[in-house]
Amino acid sequence: MTLPEPDAEFLAHRGLSHTIAMDGPMTCVLLQDWILPQGLNVATADLLIRLQPGYPDLPPDMWWFAPALTLANGGVIQATEVTESHLGRTWQRWSRHFNPGQWRSGIDGLESYVALINRELVRCAASAA
Amino acid sequence: MTEAHPGGKKPKEFHIKIDRVEYHVVEEELTGAQLRQLPHPPIGPDRDLFEVIPGQADRKIDDTYVVEIVNGKRFFTAPAHINPGHEVADHT
């Protein structure tokens, strides 16, 4: 699968270190050394986003980090307890789901999804304060 | 966001983009709340507004934050929240 043009532009223009791979029907976008907010157990981790067939009309669902993230105080982050294997690696699954209609086809893409992930990271990290 | 200019001089116009749609504005500064009113329908509270800053992380624009408007400035919106799932019940 070729990424939609806005997604390819997003990755290129931001200079994000990434790889794209197929995993069955899923297109995997792996963002290396993603910078994390303070309040988590590590400063950077690899971020995996899996795009289902039908994307970008259909939204991504969940995302994955390696290594696994916890709060800096050791606390577990809600709905991240499951680990899965993708692309030959073990990943911590962040179980996060949109409400119907929340994803706007034709507008949303990797840019907005990554912004949402960052916001959720900040929200979780702040919960340890 | 256009205004009458009785002096007759055409105001400087700035071209900015929100969610890849171009808007023409004459203001040199706009608050986040004002930027949210540019699209039709306006951007609702269910979405966050971000400014793309080359070479830096995207900046979240709150309603009261004042943005300097320059030609080519780009903004985008994103869902404001997502629901944590249930580890046992949801799909794997």
Side-chain angles (χ1 to χ4, degrees):
Chain A
M1 172 183 169
T2 303
L3 287 179
E5 186 177 338
D7 289 344
E9 286 180 3
F10 164 69
L11 293 170
H13 290 175
R14 308 297 173 88
L16 298 174
S17 178
H18 68 279
T19 58
I20 298 170
M22 297 303 296
D23 187 11
M26 308 294 283
T27 300
C28 298
V29 181
L30 198 170
L31 297 161
Q32 287 108 350
D33 299 321
W34 195 254
I35 297 173
L36 303 168
Q38 290 186 346
L40 300 176
N41 59 320
V42 291
T44 65
D46 287 350
L47 167 61
L48 175 64
I49 299 171
R50 289 160 50 85
L51 306 174
Q52 62 180 317
Y55 171 88
D57 293 326
L58 299 177
D61 189 46
M62 305 191 279
W63 59 82
W64 294 258
F65 273 111
L69 307 184
T70 66
L71 301 179
N73 61 13
V76 175
I77 300 168
Q78 183 183 10
T80 63
E81 295 89 343
V82 171
T83 59
E84 294 181 350
S85 180
H86 299 293
L87 305 177
R89 296 175 62 182
T90 299
W91 297 86
Q92 175 195 43
R93 189 184 75 180
W94 282 56
S95 180
R96 300 290 188 278
H97 313 291
F98 286 117
N99 292 325
Q102 200 177 2
W103 177 266
R104 297 179 63 184
S105 175
I107 294 177
D108 284 318
L110 282 182
E111 184 175 61
S112 56
Y113 197 56
V114 163
L116 173 69
I117 292 171
N118 277 330
R119 182 180 167 100
E120 180 70 357
L121 286 167
V122 169
R123 186 188 72 81
C124 293
S127 70
Chain B
M1 287 292 171
T2 56
E3 298 174 350
H5 286 261
K9 185 178 179 182
K10 185 177 180 180
K12 180 166 181 161
E13 193 173 67
F14 302 102
H15 298 189
I16 63 174
K17 285 186 177 179
I18 302 176
D19 284 339
R20 302 182 185 277
V21 175
E22 188 165 284
Y23 299 91
H24 300 171
V25 299
V26 296
E27 292 86 352
E28 295 182 351
E29 292 180 338
L30 286 172
T31 65
Q34 289 173 313
L35 286 164
R36 284 177 170 272
Q37 294 299 315
L38 291 178
H40 297 283
I43 301 165
D46 58 325
R47 295 183 68 86
D48 289 330
L49 177 66
F50 294 88
E51 175 186 355
V52 177
I53 305 175
Q56 299 181 35
D58 303 324
R59 174 185 289 150
K60 184 173 177 294
I61 305 297
D62 294 325
D63 281 356
T64 57
Y65 188 86
V66 177
V67 180
E68 180 186 2
I69 302 300
V70 298
N71 255 332
K73 184 156 280 193
R74 198 166 77 76
F75 303 87
F76 70 94
T77 66
H81 70 277
I82 192 166
N83 301 313
H86 301 286
E87 292 298 354
V88 175
D90 67 13
H91 45 98
T92 56

